[in-house]
Amino acid sequence: MSVRQGYPLVQMPFISVFRVITFWISFAFCLGVSFGQSVPKIRGEVLDAVSSQPLIGANVYWEGNTTTGVVTGLDGDFEISSVAFPAKLVISYIGYERSVRVIQAKDGEKGLRFFLKPEEMSLEEIIIQERRPDEQIKNLEMGKASVPIETIKNIPALFGEVDLFRSLQLLPGVQTAGEGTTGLFVRGGSADQNLVQLDGAPVYNASHFFGIFSVFNPDALSKVDLYKGNMPAAFGGRASSLIDVSLQEGNRNQIHGQGGIGTISSRLTLDGPLFGKNSSFIVSGRRTYADLFLKLSRDENLRNNKLNFYDLSGKFSFFLGERDKLSFSIYEGSDFLGLDDQFGLGWDNWVNSVNWNRVNSETSFFDLQAYYSRYQYKVEINDPENGFEWTNRLSESGIKANWIRVLSDKTTINWGIHSQFYQFSPVDLNPDPDSGIGEIVTNPKNGLLNNLFVGLNQEFSPKLSMEAGLRWGLYTQVGEGVEYLYPDDQPERDEEIGSESFDRWEPMQFYQGLEPRLAFRYLIDEQFSVKAAYNRNFQYVQIATNSSAGLPIDRWMLADLYTRPIQSDQISLGLFRNFDNNRWELSVEGYYKDLRNVIDLRNGAQVLFTDQVETEVLSGDGWAYGVETLLRKNTGKTTGWLSYTWSRTWRQIEGVSLNQKYNPRFDRPHDVTLVVNHEFNPRWSAGITFVYTSGLAVTFPVGSYVVDNQNVPLYPELRNLDRFPDYHRMDASITWRNADKGRKWKGSWNFSIYNLYGRKNPFAYEFRDIYNNDISFNPSEDGEIVSSRPGVVMTYLFTVLPSITYNFQF
């Protein structure tokens, strides 16, 4: 059977793809291994003297010869060429005391270990970046933000629960769906256009409590990188952004623990050596106890309700000799909401990955990764006449190989392959025995995506550098499955003329696309640089939803005959300037993004209980543009940043909003954020955040009509011509730490106030009664409703919300 073609630049049979991939793997592996050298080396590792954590990027050089120095890798390890012995080896790292050790010839036979002590003066400063002070000037990265975990923990928290995604919302170019949600909308992209991955494995629903919290426990994380543009060629699959989250590695010398007891949940993290000093572990758990408080209620209905979430994560690392490291990462999280045994909604994630890192030589590296991610969700209705249980599950499996070769101090190349298998299970609807609801028959959806990628970093001169990359995606929708046929290949409700069945692994639809990436940096002087970048991405999965915030039961769709993959093209230009010996950073970035084949729902669409989702959605184009400004203070007792973003987001889809362009709900033209942290002394610190954004774009009714003797709001066909009131909020926190008297147990108390001045930011409006088609109302300055008629009701989630959390380490 011939395969239907989309983007028919190259037609390639399904089996031939595997042959090409196998050839690339074999060739590249042989090429990478052949770079080994047998030059005498001195090997070792550099660790923090307090926590025994590896220090990444520490300088290692022979005294009097800094030109042949090296920096430590991801595990704090290094290799440096031998010299005439005895010789002095120098280890230095910003914020730590320098170490100088005399090395003898016999020391080359064993690995060396260096423990660096933090400088006393560093206790007077908060460092909000774990990077070189001039990194934003000299690197090639545009639209990338790295937020240290300690900074995330210092930001005032909702319910006392420190949250990763809520911290990312404070960065320029990142919008939210509304009060209390953790959904991210990056540079005009929808929430499903963000690739969220944990140690390389994708997480399909990264939220707890309907988006109020994210699934990541900060105590278990080592770093978080957000790519808003200029995504490296090794990554792809989403149109807007990459959120790359990494778990910590355990301490290889001693058991260490930390945790917290908060207003709504508690958490505990343990790490330490596993089987000696060549292996380590870290395990972390968190659970809410909101359901336990419900049982204390005098209201019997509330006592029978269920409301809880938990998550567990872990990482196990094994150092196999001097060149190899093997690590296993796992995550499990679950949520459930039950209302008096009448209604239940639950969802859970299961994510695991295995990573093998090999150092072939000091200039050649190899990484191999395999992962599996599963997301499933269910709805339960306990009703004698209409009861049912509805469940669905989707998963992604993948394997990725990446080779890195340092050709010279000015040229680095990496290449590899990434294969992904998507498996979207049929909807499973089980009616109760006496229910009047009939069964629904749906079919599975499967897709295979193979990617070849290559990247090059080249320094042409001390002033001019380039990063170039190319990613080639080959996507095939495969059976087992069914393809519905419609007149003129135009899906319409109730117009199916037939269907075609496909056996397991039989090709159904084929798409391919080239994804070029290019970036330049020109260094005007040591404190000022200009950068430009172009990025193309294809996305082969989308969500069909009418909720901008994202719901746990949103319907995921794979690219098929009627739903083409999203194509995203983004250009960006930025100016970067540092001041006062890199104490201050200023950046201004402008961007324009073009989107093709984005989807939106038809009016009155129903996507959960149908196997023909293509009849409920329409596709078209989108575009977004904006300017992001960021002023950040990196060191000193007072640190933080001030950002302002002006942006616009548009969609134009035939059949939606009378075919005219419209703003999606998350279009918010103005966004101002202020984050300030201050260290009064080693025991007392405080933090303040302030957020101001334009109101969400919405559609308000223009009148009413009568159904069953009730007035029902009448909405216009043009979408999102109205807006909520502007959103603003201030949060504050104070942290008190116990005096450090050399004891292993260290504790601190954090007092936070969310929405310090009690702003009633609207979450939703409800039009209960409309008289004589009069719906006139105006939001007042303080968010209250001023209405000439009764029946317009505003819902808000939070006013002043204090919380207290006790954090500890041992």
Side-chain angles (χ1 to χ4, degrees):
M1 180 178 296
S2 63
V3 184
R4 297 176 184 265
Q5 299 295 314
Y7 300 106
L9 300 178
V10 177
Q11 183 171 350
M12 184 175 294
F14 181 68
I15 300 300
S16 298
V17 173
F18 280 107
R19 292 176 178 172
V20 172
I21 291 169
T22 303
F23 170 77
W24 271 76
I25 291 179
S26 302
F27 171 75
F29 182 77
C30 294
L31 184 63
V33 172
S34 68
F35 289 133
Q37 301 177 17
S38 58
V39 178
K41 302 289 182 182
I42 295 294
R43 299 183 178 91
E45 59 181 341
V46 182
L47 307 172
D48 185 298
V50 178
S51 65
S52 295
Q53 292 295 312
L55 296 180
I56 304 169
N59 296 306
V60 182
Y61 57 93
W62 297 107
E63 188 174 70
N65 185 7
T66 60
T67 58
T68 60
V70 297
V71 296
T72 54
L74 296 178
D75 303 310
D77 56 328
F78 68 88
E79 287 186 350
I80 189 169
S81 301
S82 300
V83 294
F85 296 109
K88 292 183 178 180
L89 189 63
V90 182
I91 313 291
S92 66
Y93 193 71
I94 295 176
Y96 287 77
E97 296 179 359
R98 193 175 70 153
S99 174
V100 180
R101 184 185 301 182
V102 177
I103 306 299
Q104 304 289 344
K106 62 180 181 180
D107 294 327
E109 302 173 359
K110 58 183 179 179
L112 301 173
R113 181 171 290 181
F114 295 84
F115 291 91
L116 300 190
K117 296 181 180 180
E119 293 178 352
E120 293 299 326
M121 61 174 295
S122 67
L123 299 177
E124 300 297 323
E125 299 184 344
I126 301 174
I127 308 298
I128 72 168
Q129 293 178 299
E130 296 171 347
R131 56 176 189 167
R132 298 195 318 265
D134 60 350
E135 184 171 349
Q136 86 144 358
I137 301 297
K138 295 187 176 180
N139 66 22
L140 276 160
E141 295 163 344
M142 280 194 67
K144 179 185 176 182
S146 299
V147 184
I149 302 303
E150 288 305 314
T151 300
I152 294 174
K153 292 181 179 181
N154 286 331
I155 293 175
L158 173 63
F159 291 115
E161 192 69 22
V162 174
D163 190 81
L164 167 62
F165 277 17
R166 188 161 289 107
S167 302
L168 295 179
Q169 290 172 357
L170 300 174
L171 298 173
V174 181
Q175 303 284 6
T176 70
E179 177 76 271
T181 64
T182 57
L184 302 180
F185 301 85
V186 179
R187 290 187 171 179
S190 55
D192 63 326
Q193 293 177 14
N194 305 314
L195 173 59
V196 182
Q197 62 180 29
L198 180 65
D199 277 353
V203 181
Y204 273 82
N205 187 342
S207 68
H208 284 311
F209 257 27
F210 298 92
I212 293 180
F213 305 116
S214 68
V215 299
F216 302 110
N217 181 354
D219 290 345
L221 305 182
S222 65
K223 68 171 185 174
V224 180
D225 292 328
L226 168 64
Y227 294 84
K228 299 178 291 184
N230 191 29
M231 194 181 300
F235 301 101
R238 294 296 189 274
S240 287
S241 76
L242 164 67
I243 302 170
D244 189 16
V245 183
S246 300
L247 290 173
Q248 287 188 40
E249 288 189 355
N251 190 311
R252 285 190 280 164
N253 294 287
Q254 58 184 354
I255 297 292
H256 175 261
Q258 61 179 317
I261 303 172
T263 308
I264 198 171
S265 69
S266 291
R267 64 192 192 279
L268 178 64
T269 300
L270 294 174
D271 69 288
L274 189 59
F275 304 114
K277 292 189 176 182
N278 288 326
S279 60
S280 66
F281 78 93
I282 181 170
V283 292
S284 181
R286 178 174 57 163
R287 192 192 191 281
T288 182
Y289 27 72
D291 54 334
L292 302 180
F293 290 142
L294 292 176
K295 295 184 181 298
L296 303 177
S297 174
R298 297 181 180 180
D299 189 327
E300 183 177 353
N301 292 328
L302 287 178
R303 288 201 302 270
N304 293 330
N305 290 344
K306 298 178 181 178
L307 181 63
N308 62 72
F309 74 79
Y310 75 86
D311 50 55
L312 298 169
S313 61
K315 187 171 185 177
F316 306 90
S317 302
F318 302 87
F319 296 84
L320 310 177
E322 299 177 346
R323 294 180 177 270
D324 300 279
K325 184 181 74 171
L326 190 65
S327 61
F328 300 87
S329 302
I330 58 173
Y331 170 84
E332 182 187 10
S334 179
D335 286 70
F336 188 79
L337 167 66
L339 301 179
D340 195 25
D341 296 327
Q342 299 298 313
F343 169 81
L345 174 62
W347 64 95
D348 63 77
N349 288 285
W350 168 254
V351 179
N352 56 73
S353 65
V354 56
N355 291 269
W356 172 36
N357 309 110
R358 176 171 177 78
V359 179
N360 297 319
S361 71
E362 65 178 3
T363 60
S364 179
F365 311 90
F366 172 68
D367 298 325
L368 181 64
Q369 177 186 85
Y371 63 82
Y372 174 77
S373 176
R374 185 202 66 204
Y375 174 60
Q376 61 184 14
Y377 44 101
K378 67 177 180 178
V379 179
E380 299 175 351
I381 301 293
N382 296 319
D383 182 84
E385 299 180 355
N386 298 299
F388 65 88
E389 181 181 80
W390 182 95
T391 60
N392 199 213
R393 181 178 69 252
L394 60 91
S395 67
E396 178 184 334
S397 306
I399 184 168
K400 181 178 181 180
N402 187 20
W403 289 263
I404 302 174
R405 170 65 168 153
V406 181
L407 301 178
S408 70
D409 58 350
K410 295 183 178 181
T411 306
T412 301
I413 186 172
N414 72 290
W415 66 96
I417 183 171
H418 184 192
S419 295
Q420 302 159 260
F421 179 62
Y422 303 100
Q423 189 173 26
F424 291 7
S425 300
V427 170
D428 189 5
L429 180 68
N430 297 314
D432 290 345
D434 299 325
S435 175
I437 296 179
E439 293 186 2
I440 295 176
V441 178
T442 65
N443 292 279
K445 299 283 188 180
N446 304 306
L448 180 65
L449 175 61
N450 293 297
N451 305 276
L452 303 174
F453 60 86
V454 60
L456 172 68
N457 285 68
Q458 178 67 50
E459 182 180 329
F460 297 107
S461 70
K463 289 183 175 295
L464 181 62
S465 296
M466 177 195 73
E467 180 181 1
L470 182 64
R471 189 178 180 92
W472 183 24
L474 303 160
Y475 170 83
T476 306
Q477 182 193 4
V478 297
E480 178 180 3
V482 170
E483 188 175 88
Y484 295 98
L485 306 176
Y486 303 92
D488 301 322
D489 281 344
Q490 298 297 319
E492 295 289 344
R493 297 169 181 167
D494 305 321
E495 288 194 10
E496 174 196 346
I497 61 173
S499 62
E500 187 175 3
S501 297
F502 294 80
D503 295 333
R504 187 172 179 83
W505 295 109
E506 184 177 3
M508 299 174 62
Q509 179 68 21
F510 178 77
Y511 293 102
Q512 66 84 36
L514 293 173
E515 305 175 31
R517 289 97 189 268
L518 186 63
F520 290 94
R521 182 228 68 201
Y522 184 77
L523 195 64
I524 296 176
D525 59 40
E526 291 299 315
Q527 299 290 308
F528 189 19
S529 65
V530 179
K531 303 178 188 179
Y534 166 75
N535 210 278
R536 169 174 286 182
N537 291 279
F538 282 99
Q539 178 172 329
Y540 299 90
V541 294
Q542 297 191 61
I543 284 182
T545 178
N546 55 11
S547 168
S548 63
L551 294 174
I553 57 174
D554 284 338
R555 189 75 176 267
W556 284 85
M557 299 176 60
L558 274 172
D560 56 22
L561 174 62
Y562 306 107
T563 306
R564 291 176 173 271
I566 299 175
Q567 176 182 317
S568 170
D569 291 271
Q570 180 178 241
I571 58 174
S572 52
L573 178 67
L575 303 175
F576 300 83
R577 183 77 165 88
N578 283 11
F579 304 92
D580 191 16
N581 196 28
N582 298 314
R583 186 179 295 269
W584 291 85
E585 293 181 0
L586 175 66
S587 63
V588 180
E589 292 188 47
Y591 68 90
Y592 180 88
K593 179 185 293 183
D594 181 77
L595 295 164
R596 304 291 177 90
N597 306 318
V598 292
I599 63 173
D600 205 340
L601 296 187
R602 298 176 185 265
N603 292 331
Q606 298 291 332
V607 298
L608 292 185
F609 299 97
T610 179
D611 196 35
Q612 298 169 262
V613 184
E614 63 271 9
T615 65
E616 305 296 321
V617 300
L618 299 167
S619 64
D621 299 331
W623 61 97
Y625 47 86
V627 177
E628 303 166 359
T629 304
L630 177 67
L631 176 65
R632 176 153 53 180
K633 187 173 184 290
N634 293 327
T635 60
K637 289 189 174 182
T638 302
T639 60
W641 66 85
L642 173 66
S643 70
Y644 168 70
T645 301
W646 175 83
S647 62
R648 298 309 309 266
T649 302
W650 301 91
R651 298 286 187 268
Q652 189 165 21
I653 299 175
E654 186 175 352
V656 178
S657 195
L658 298 178
N659 302 334
Q660 299 183 27
K661 69 176 184 178
Y662 64 96
N663 301 117
R665 194 177 185 197
F666 49 87
D667 172 67
R668 310 181 84 160
H670 302 283
D671 188 337
V672 179
T673 299
L674 174 66
V675 177
V676 178
N677 291 311
H678 184 74
E679 185 97 355
F680 296 102
N681 55 52
R683 299 186 63 183
W684 286 95
S685 62
I688 290 178
T689 61
F690 174 77
V691 176
Y692 172 90
T693 65
S694 302
L696 294 169
V698 295
T699 302
F700 289 141
V702 295
S704 67
Y705 58 97
V706 178
V707 176
D708 295 331
N709 297 320
Q710 293 184 349
N711 283 340
V712 177
L714 174 65
Y715 290 88
E717 293 191 66
L718 293 175
R719 290 196 181 181
N720 298 340
L721 295 180
D722 305 292
R723 287 194 179 272
F724 279 9
D726 290 349
Y727 179 98
H728 53 89
R729 188 192 79 243
M730 178 176 284
D731 309 328
S733 68
I734 295 177
T735 300
W736 177 81
R737 302 175 183 84
N738 292 336
D740 186 0
K741 299 181 179 179
R743 289 176 286 185
K744 292 185 177 181
W745 184 277
K746 299 178 181 179
S748 66
W749 289 93
N750 178 268
F751 307 88
S752 293
I753 300 180
Y754 183 87
N755 201 357
L756 185 63
Y757 52 82
R759 165 76 173 180
K760 295 178 181 178
N761 289 297
F763 180 75
Y765 289 113
E766 181 181 359
F767 299 86
R768 294 181 178 175
D769 299 299
I770 300 176
Y771 300 94
N772 300 322
N773 287 339
D774 187 352
I775 61 163
S776 59
F777 76 97
N778 292 293
S780 68
E781 290 296 326
D782 62 357
E784 299 287 355
I785 294 299
V786 179
S787 176
S788 62
R789 298 291 183 182
V792 181
V793 178
M794 182 191 76
T795 301
Y796 59 88
L797 295 182
F798 312 114
T799 54
V800 179
L801 189 63
S803 59
I804 182 171
T805 304
Y806 177 69
N807 299 303
F808 55 86
Q809 296 183 15
F810 58 88

